[in-house]
Amino acid sequence: MVTAGLMRIVYPCWKPSGEGESSSKDSNGRFDGLLWHKDFGNHANGEFSMAVVQANSLLEDHSQIESGPMGSLDNGPHGTFVGVYDGHGGPETARFVCNNLFKNIKKFTSHSQGMSADVIMKAFMATEEEFLSLVKKLWLEKPQIASVGACCLVGVICNGYLYTANAGDSRVVLGKLDNLDKTVKAIQLSSEHNASYESVREELRLKHPDDPHIVVLKHKVWRVKGLIQVSRSIGDAYLKKTEFNTSPLLAKFRLREPFDRPIMTAEPSISVQKIIPEDQFLIFASDGLWEHLSNQEAVDIVKTSSRHGIAKKLVKAALCEAAKKREMRYSDLKKIDRGVRRHFHDDITVVVLFLDSHLANRNIFKGPYLSIKGAGYSSSGIDS
């Protein structure tokens, strides 16, 4: 039930029109209020759908699909790149990653003359170092940038292989055909780095054996140093370099004692697998989706629905669940403005990538070339 106190916050922001009533077309998608969606498109290895809904005052999720050369030269490897970047503390890191991670993928692919897990690892770490250099440059004029970070989820399809990399708690789920019973099963491909998992807490304790407070249960939520739930990210300089964990950073982010090793890391968990005909589709999403839908529920929705607009349908399914938890109707939830909306759900980004194994395994690239960023992305601000 929505409390009277929360209703007092919400009521002034209640709008007479909903997300579906004021819609404007965009060459790279469509806006329906706080919901942006690209219902259908083609990438090098099949078809795709994207959607983003904003909850925060500033959208902290960024995302992109790139299809074409994976290196700096057109005659190098070709494929499809997907990135979902879930920012926290502000949008700056997610925006920076959206501008720079794929550039670094292309650079290291060219250096190595091919795609590999090592290429992706190097690209993550280079993007991290570039952002930390930016934090140092802006430290005196904008110290709060040291407390901004982004969970980063990446998928690359190249030469018949699927590479997935994750730092944080976004998730990619594969819809895979079971030939025995002809159902489509949900297979989670990414590892999540959130202190709510005992395995993550144990990993942190092993890395920091001299720190009894490396993870702290605070208000029934496990947090790294009592401050943040995720253990891996790009950014969050204040928990990686002790020089940024001091004044003029806000006192609430400062630890009592300096640390001699990074508390968080940008190193992603990476997996590589051959794409086979049973691999039907991939769902890449920020944790805002998985908070409300299970892996199998999301896969079932994709399998039983039209491909056109399927990412938007997943977002709406999550919002319906969020509304139901508050004993509200979806039609009422979608009238609540950004900022206040964060009391009900997080920013949510979804990319559904359909796989054609024939296209994924061919050696000759026949297009289409594609570069699209979610939610009417603007590169203004901190982006280099």
Side-chain angles (χ1 to χ4, degrees), residues 12-65:
C13 301
W14 215 265
K15 290 183 172 181
S17 62
E19 286 166 356
E21 296 177 31
S22 178
S23 159
S24 61
K25 286 188 176 181
D26 185 285
S27 60
N28 285 325
R30 174 190 292 266
F31 285 95
D32 294 330
L34 298 181
L35 175 67
W36 173 92
H37 51 100
K38 170 73 173 173
D39 285 339
F40 189 82
N42 293 286
H43 64 100
N45 311 108
E47 298 162 337
F48 75 91
S49 178
M50 296 176 73
V52 181
V53 67
Q54 182 175 351
N56 289 288
S57 298
L58 292 174
L59 180 66
E60 295 181 338
D61 277 14
H62 285 72
S63 55
Q64 66 186 127
I65 297 180

Side-chain angles (χ1 to χ4, degrees), residues 93-107:
T93 311
R95 184 187 304 126
F96 182 92
V97 174
C98 201
N99 272 339
N100 292 281
L101 181 56
F102 182 61
K103 291 179 185 177
N104 284 323
I105 291 277
K106 295 183 76 170
K107 179 176 73 174

Side-chain angles (χ1 to χ4, degrees), residues 17 19 46 54 80-81 84 87 94 107 109 119 121 133 145 156 163 173 199 208 210 239 251 253 262 276 327 345 384:
S17 62
E19 286 166 356
Q54 182 175 351
T80 297
F81 172 94
V84 172
K107 179 176 73 174
T109 299
V119 161
M121 179 67 73
S133 294
I145 196 174
V156 178
Y163 303 80
V173 172
S199 59
H208 304 273
D210 300 324
L239 291 176
F253 295 113
I276 60 175
E327 300 185 9
H345 65 85
S384 61

Side-chain angles (χ1 to χ4, degrees), residues 129-255:
E129 288 306 311
E130 289 164 359
F131 186 75
L132 295 185
S133 294
L134 180 63
V135 172
K136 187 171 184 177
K137 179 181 176 182
L138 298 176
W139 174 239
L140 293 178
E141 64 181 272
K142 190 173 181 176
Q144 66 269 28
I145 196 174
S147 62
V148 179
C151 298
C152 300
L153 173 65
V154 160
V156 178
I157 300 172
C158 189
N159 294 329
Y161 284 88
L162 168 65
Y163 303 80
T164 59
N166 190 46
D169 58 3
S170 295
R171 186 186 304 173
V172 55
V173 172
L174 169 68
K176 187 182 186 75
L177 177 65
D178 186 324
N179 285 319
L180 292 176
D181 60 14
K182 301 303 178 184
T183 61
V184 177
K185 301 288 175 55
I187 310 293
Q188 184 171 326
L189 301 182
S190 56
S191 299
E192 292 169 41
H193 311 112
N194 188 303
S196 63
Y197 295 103
E198 173 59 35
S199 59
V200 173
R201 298 197 296 274
E202 187 59 27
E203 177 184 69
L204 287 164
R205 291 177 183 127
L206 288 172
K207 287 183 176 180
H208 304 273
D210 300 324
D211 187 351
H213 305 295
I214 188 64
V215 285
V216 177
L217 188 62
K218 193 173 182 179
H219 304 303
K220 299 182 179 180
V221 176
W222 285 102
R223 296 181 183 273
V224 181
K225 299 300 291 183
L227 294 170
I228 188 169
Q229 286 186 265
V230 294
S231 62
R232 304 193 194 189
S233 69
I234 288 178
D236 293 306
Y238 74 117
L239 291 176
K240 292 173 178 173
K241 292 182 179 288
T242 193
E243 65 190 275
F244 300 126
N245 202 284
T246 184
S247 178
L249 185 68
L250 292 175
K252 67 179 181 178
F253 295 113
R254 287 184 240 151
L255 302 179

